[in-house]
Amino acid sequence: MPAVQETVEQVRAIDIDQYKYGFSTDIEMELAPKGLSEDIVRYISARKNEPAWMLEWRLDAYRRWLTMREPDWARVDYPQIDFQDMYYYAAPKSNAAPKSLDEIDPAILETYKKLGIPLREQEILAGVAPENRIAVDAVFDSVSVVTTFKEELKKSGVIFSSISEALHEHPELVKKYIGSVVPTTDNYYATLNAAVFSDGSFVYIPPGVRCPMELSTYFRINEQKTGQFERTLIIADKGSYVSYLEGCTAPMRDENQLHAAVVELIAHDDAEIKYSTVQNWYPGDSQGKGGIYNFVTKRGDCRGARSKISWTQVETGSAITWKYPSCILRGDDSQGEFYSIAVSNGAQQVDSGTKMIHLGKNTRSRIISKGISAGRSQNTYRGLVSAHRRATNAKNFTNCDSLLIGNACGAHTVPYIESKTASAVFEHEATTSKVSEDQMFYCMQRGLTQEEAIALIVNGFVKDVLQQLPMEFMVEAQKLIAISLEGSVG
Amino acid sequence: MSLLEIKNLTAKLADEDKQILNGLNLTVEKGQVAAIMGPNGSGKSTLSYVLAGREDYEVTDGEALLDGENILELSPDERAAKGLFLAFQYPIEIPGVGQMTFLKAAVNAQRRKNGLDDMPTPEFMKLVNGRAKELGISPDMLRRSVNVGFSGGEKKRNEILQMALLQPKLAILDETDSGLDIDALKIVADGVNAMRSPDRGFVVITHYQRLLDYIKPDVVHVLSAGRIIKTGGPDLALELEAKGYADIVGKAA
Ligand SMILES: Nc1ncnc2c1ncn2[C@@H]1O[C@H](COP(=O)(O)OP(=O)(O)O)[C@@H](O)[C@H]1O
Ligand SMILES: [Mg+2]
């Protein structure tokens, strides 16, 4: 995702009711019949020509899902979802199996261009220095439409493709790892995802390889009444390194749309995965009409010794966010990190946080969470830090800060700590503060407008986390946060 | 035309029925330093807030003209860009926002409002470092968050630094001397004196003659119960210092 600076500039003047990426693309789609059943699961699997074991895996999950109940412990409130009233598969018709960019529907290329994501490699190459190149997997509704720089990545042995493609080209890798971090039985939405996931990205970094460029997936929901269920699987083999970024947007619609994704990360001995998200799904209007339900399960397994997984998220979109990117610190001396900025405005509801599960010896984790609530929104940090009996000398540091803008919003912190070893050291700090009228007036007396003052104060608040993002995205995330908070005061 | 002309200014707390300014009249000429003295609670800070556009107060009557233009309908940032600066009695802390970031945001926000381009960073750095040095502000202070962990005196010097960078037409200093030791007081006074010029005006709110020994006022006004009750030359300040407010306030009442 290159700088979308210019377009971002253009929306600086708009308020929360005018979401920037709210346009939709008129394109002929192939839809599965509405609703959910075993037949639909079979349909999806057949559309993708999946091997028999994959279909069995899906059906297993589906049958399990039928016995499960929707979780209700999160601090979010929404009407019952009718799982029979949506489509589980939507793919551009013209796009059955594009081999190259030339075969892709121009309307789709145009869509991504409008979103600031050029997909033509020549166009990307023209404007960007080699070290700043980013390979993109573009997922449009249920399918991956293209993955760029694949050939170049292949030279260093890196596999970057859609998960559908990986199922055909590297079935042994997919079979070995899928569901090994988030099992099909994990939770209601993850189990649903296992049954109906349609596409997503697959990454494999071979031993000792430092991935030569930033990888990213850009998710776009376009079709109405369609759920998006993507599944991402990233494996960093021994001693390898990869930095990956995920972005997402959706059209403005009055209806709520469900996005239930699963992301699994596996880091072997001495490997490192840095996973960043800039989540900007349509948040609904200021009255709470429409918007994406973002119910996502993300988990990383530090499987090897001295491995490291780092989650960084900037969450500004979605009507409801329910997500807890977590780390299982299995390998001795492994490290997990979670850096989060969650912004809520209007009627948005966020319940997000992390789990750091210390299983190995000398494992370390670090949690820095910055929640910003404005409007009438509710913003909850929910976190678990636990140490197993074996996890001697486990260390965690948690810092959880909330910033309130105005009087009608809420911030909540729900930290759980469990330790079964006496040698574990867990530190927890939490603060809640308000953007005060004094601060606003002080800034404005110096010449800043109300919006500039909010942006300045908020950027100061989130600085520690922003610095964790890849350079190219820092400025963009900063602007995104400012835009999300427009109309939050006055 | 006077730099500042306040006519019959009447203001109350926005969400309470408490009137604080009661038909206040005051004129400040270009090039003038006007001292305002008065008992605690007489409305000195309120006057400075109302002029700067703080929302806690509601103007119920009167007007305030800056260079002939009524500013009372403008937002605080617009007033700032028109050249009004307030050195706060209690400067505000902004955690996480670096001093340099803040100063640059302020300078450029005002430049943009006045149709100028942003100041190039090297030029800005040079300017800040130069002024900071004059005011005895250490590079370390410039690296910290705005006013966070500053001593009382450091906060006040920081206000003067901002004034020096923003080059206002009218600067209101609200008890900038309180909390300053004598050395810091001299530094602040030097900073103000260096900025005195034929087209700039100052309103210096203070309790003490001490500051006025260093910043020589052209006129001294006495504010009591929300009105200017007496105006005189520099000697008036000495008289107040000697006799206290009771006498003069009593006479006016
Ligand atoms: N925001 C406010 N809320 C309540 N009372 C206020 C407020 N601002 C000023 N006042 C009251 O108005 C009067 C004048 O205050 P102030 O302008 O601070 O006086 P001074 O600066 O001359 O000491 C005092 O009685 C003070 O308590
Ligand atoms: Mg005062």
Side-chain angles (χ1 to χ4, degrees), chain B residues 13 18 20 39-46 56-57 89:
Chain B
L13 287 178
K18 180 169 171 161
I20 305 173
N40 275 327
S42 57
K44 302 185 295 297
S45 292
T46 301
D56 305 48
Y57 307 95
Q89 183 173 2

Side-chain angles (χ1 to χ4, degrees), chain B residues 5-53:
Chain B
E5 204 174 347
I6 302 174
K7 295 183 210 155
N8 191 34
L9 185 60
T10 307
K12 62 183 270 294
L13 287 178
D15 45 13
E16 249 179 82
D17 248 353
K18 180 169 171 161
Q19 183 154 321
I20 305 173
L21 300 182
N22 296 302
L24 184 145
N25 293 295
L26 175 70
T27 302
V28 180
E29 302 299 339
K30 289 196 173 100
Q32 214 178 42
V33 171
I36 296 186
M37 306 181 82
N40 275 327
S42 57
K44 302 185 295 297
S45 292
T46 301
L47 172 63
S48 65
Y49 284 147
V50 168
L51 289 176

Side-chain angles (χ1 to χ4, degrees), chain A residues 197-224:
Chain A
F197 80 89
S198 44
D199 219 333
S201 301
F202 177 82
V203 176
Y204 173 78
I205 316 288
V209 170
R210 192 177 169 87
C211 187
M213 61 179 101
E214 193 84 30
L215 305 184
S216 78
T217 303
Y218 196 92
F219 296 101
R220 174 73 177 168
I221 294 180
N222 185 62
E223 192 60 29
Q224 41 190 334

